[in-house]
Amino acid sequence: MPALLPPARTADPAPPDGPARPTSPLRSRAAYAWNNSPGAGWRTARRLADTAPRSVRATVSHGPPGTPVIAYVGLPQGEANILQLLEHQRARLGAPVTCRQTARVGWRHLAEGRWPPADLVVVGADAARMDRLPDTTALTAPFRVHLVVDVPPSQEELQRQISRRERWEFNRNQRRHDWELQEDPSPEALDFFYRRMHRPTMRRRHGDRSRTESLSVARHAILPRGTLLFVTSGGRRVAGVLCHWSPDRRTLTTRLLGVLDGDEQHYADGTFKAVYHLLLRWACARRVPHVDFFGTEAFLSKGIFQWKRKFAPRVQLPPNHFSRKRIRLYVRNDTPGVRDLLVANPLLSWTAGPDGPRMTPTYFTDAQRPPRLDVSARCPGLPEPRLLDLDAFLGGGR
């Protein structure tokens, strides 16, 4: 592999996904379709663009001496999502980021097994390209998954499928705040939502690493084919969600969310969670068959996965170009820190099933590290978890 560049500062965001931030209606719609359209033409164009480069950026993330070194190689979206998630999980084990290093790496070199200098290497690529890479001491997982709630025909059935604890918390908070859901897809409402709710929330929650759609995309590409709903308390708008309809209008997908002024109090008092409860009730009353809670990474330890799981969603591949993208985790060095990181982060990996490959909750374990089954993967349609013994898995060579 080529020599890495000098250490970079930890605030090193990945380049934006797709075309530059647009301002005109036409460019806004094209940018949104480029990233999100389920249409065959857009997906093919995106696949050709993503597989054209012969080399990709490799980023190596270091923690304190003696802690796992993590590298991400491949599609740029993964650096802003997957690498940051693994850095966060490593920090929870006491190893925050100290520096990053970057270089360009050829796909040919990776196919030959020439890896970045790291203990754990994650590659993000189109499925066809991934098939040309080694698979020794590695696991393959979806690049992203969507969590889709099949909305039952009655409110009673809807409530029964939500976890008991989640129902109890919402009902308690509802009595305190008297939340209601209000639909207002007007341009003025969108401006208020974006400037007073969505943008402050993203800035407060994610800082410089925040990734979202521009106001132009929201105005010209999402809202005309979607709707905007607000949570009110005492008549005051305190949270909102901008949603997008599928072409057949059978699936409503949450796209942008936010609470008023990004105020953390709206998380503490349950207002943010109320968005999801009220949205599902709204969809049930209007006979909307499916509500898509949008995408997340395939790591079960991610907080948003654990919380959305309480609404009993199906886990499925995204309808857009991400359906063909994969990640592969390569373990290059067997160290206690690497084992700790793997055990703490079970994931949905691809395994052989009776009807072809399927996503299976996969938990790492060894004699000293019990599987983290408390990080539940219970969702409709997912198979029983598999336990992957690290001694056997890591004994397969490098």
Side-chain angles (χ1 to χ4, degrees):
M1 173 180 168
L4 292 172
L5 301 179
R9 295 181 61 84
T10 57
D12 183 21
D17 182 20
R21 300 278 179 169
T23 55
S24 72
L26 181 60
R27 292 187 65 191
S28 296
R29 289 190 288 270
Y32 188 75
W34 178 255
N35 288 324
N36 298 284
S37 175
W42 283 105
R43 291 176 59 174
T44 298
R46 185 61 188 259
R47 178 176 57 83
L48 293 174
D50 287 338
T51 57
R54 296 184 178 182
S55 65
V56 288
R57 172 166 153 147
T59 301
V60 179
S61 172
H62 296 265
T67 61
V69 178
I70 305 169
Y72 175 80
V73 187
L75 296 164
Q77 305 96 319
E79 187 172 328
N81 298 317
I82 295 160
L83 179 59
Q84 288 183 21
L85 171 62
L86 290 174
E87 287 176 332
H88 174 73
Q89 299 299 72
R90 183 181 61 185
R92 293 181 63 183
L93 298 174
V97 178
T98 56
C99 72
R100 281 180 169 186
Q101 299 169 296
T102 61
R104 298 293 297 182
V105 181
W107 284 110
R108 178 173 58 85
H109 297 149
L110 295 174
E112 295 169 354
R114 296 166 60 182
W115 304 105
D119 302 308
L120 183 69
V121 179
V122 183
V123 177
D126 182 84
R129 190 182 289 281
M130 195 72 80
D131 288 342
R132 298 195 288 270
L133 299 181
D135 59 4
T136 303
T137 321
L139 280 182
T140 303
F143 198 98
R144 286 180 73 77
V145 295
H146 276 213
L147 303 176
V148 181
V149 177
D150 295 323
V151 182
S154 73
Q155 297 286 349
E156 292 76 16
E157 291 175 275
L158 173 63
Q159 292 306 302
R160 283 197 296 270
Q161 76 181 38
I162 300 171
S163 78
R164 183 178 304 174
R165 176 71 181 183
E166 187 61 37
R167 290 199 311 267
W168 178 85
E169 286 189 357
F170 172 76
N171 291 334
R172 178 199 62 188
N173 294 332
Q174 169 73 346
R175 289 191 293 270
R176 295 174 179 172
H177 299 282
D178 192 26
W179 290 311
E180 294 183 359
L181 199 66
Q182 179 185 89
E183 185 176 15
D184 184 354
S186 68
E188 296 79 15
L190 177 66
D191 281 346
F192 174 80
F193 163 76
Y194 194 90
R195 301 183 191 281
R196 291 291 306 279
M197 292 182 174
H198 178 66
R199 191 163 60 185
T201 297
M202 295 298 291
R203 185 166 55 244
R204 180 72 63 88
R205 304 293 289 184
H206 304 290
D208 292 340
R209 291 182 172 181
S210 135
R211 296 294 184 274
T212 188
E213 304 287 1
S214 68
L215 178 58
S216 176
V217 167
R219 177 179 292 124
H220 299 299
I222 303 177
L223 187 60
R225 296 173 178 83
T227 193
L228 178 59
L229 299 127
F230 291 95
V231 174
T232 66
S233 179
R236 179 173 178 248
R237 292 176 173 179
V238 291
V241 56
L242 178 63
C243 301
H244 193 266
W245 287 106
S246 62
D248 60 7
R249 293 185 67 87
R250 290 179 55 80
T251 300
L252 186 65
T253 300
T254 61
R255 288 299 289 113
L256 305 182
L257 292 97
V259 296
L260 186 63
D261 297 327
D263 190 342
E264 289 292 333
Q265 181 60 32
H266 294 310
Y267 285 84
D269 66 13
T271 300
F272 182 77
K273 291 183 176 182
V275 172
Y276 292 88
H277 284 271
L278 296 174
L279 177 62
L280 288 176
R281 293 184 178 190
W282 183 90
C284 181
R286 288 156 180 78
R287 299 292 190 266
V288 178
H290 315 287
V291 174
D292 185 343
F293 284 168
F294 204 57
T296 185
E297 290 71 44
F299 288 90
L300 306 178
S301 56
K302 188 165 183 181
I304 200 69
F305 182 97
Q306 285 299 307
W307 183 70
K308 290 179 178 179
R309 186 187 61 78
K310 297 178 182 181
F311 294 90
R314 286 182 292 106
V315 181
Q316 65 180 46
L317 292 176
N320 54 30
H321 64 95
F322 279 112
S323 66
R324 287 186 47 86
K325 291 177 168 57
R326 305 286 183 266
I327 62 168
R328 184 169 291 167
L329 280 71
Y330 293 91
V331 181
R332 305 298 304 144
N333 295 305
D334 182 0
T335 70
V338 167
R339 289 189 176 220
D340 290 342
L341 187 62
L342 291 173
V343 170
N345 292 282
L347 77 164
L348 297 169
S349 67
W350 288 108
T351 62
D355 301 315
R358 63 181 180 178
M359 291 180 279
T360 301
T362 301
Y363 294 79
F364 300 95
T365 185
D366 64 19
Q368 289 76 42
R369 299 169 180 85
R372 287 294 307 275
L373 295 175
D374 57 306
V375 182
S376 177
R378 191 175 297 117
C379 288
L382 283 183
E384 288 297 308
R386 69 162 175 159
L387 305 185
L388 188 57
D389 182 80
L390 285 168
D391 293 328
F393 176 60
L394 300 178
R398 300 291 177 267

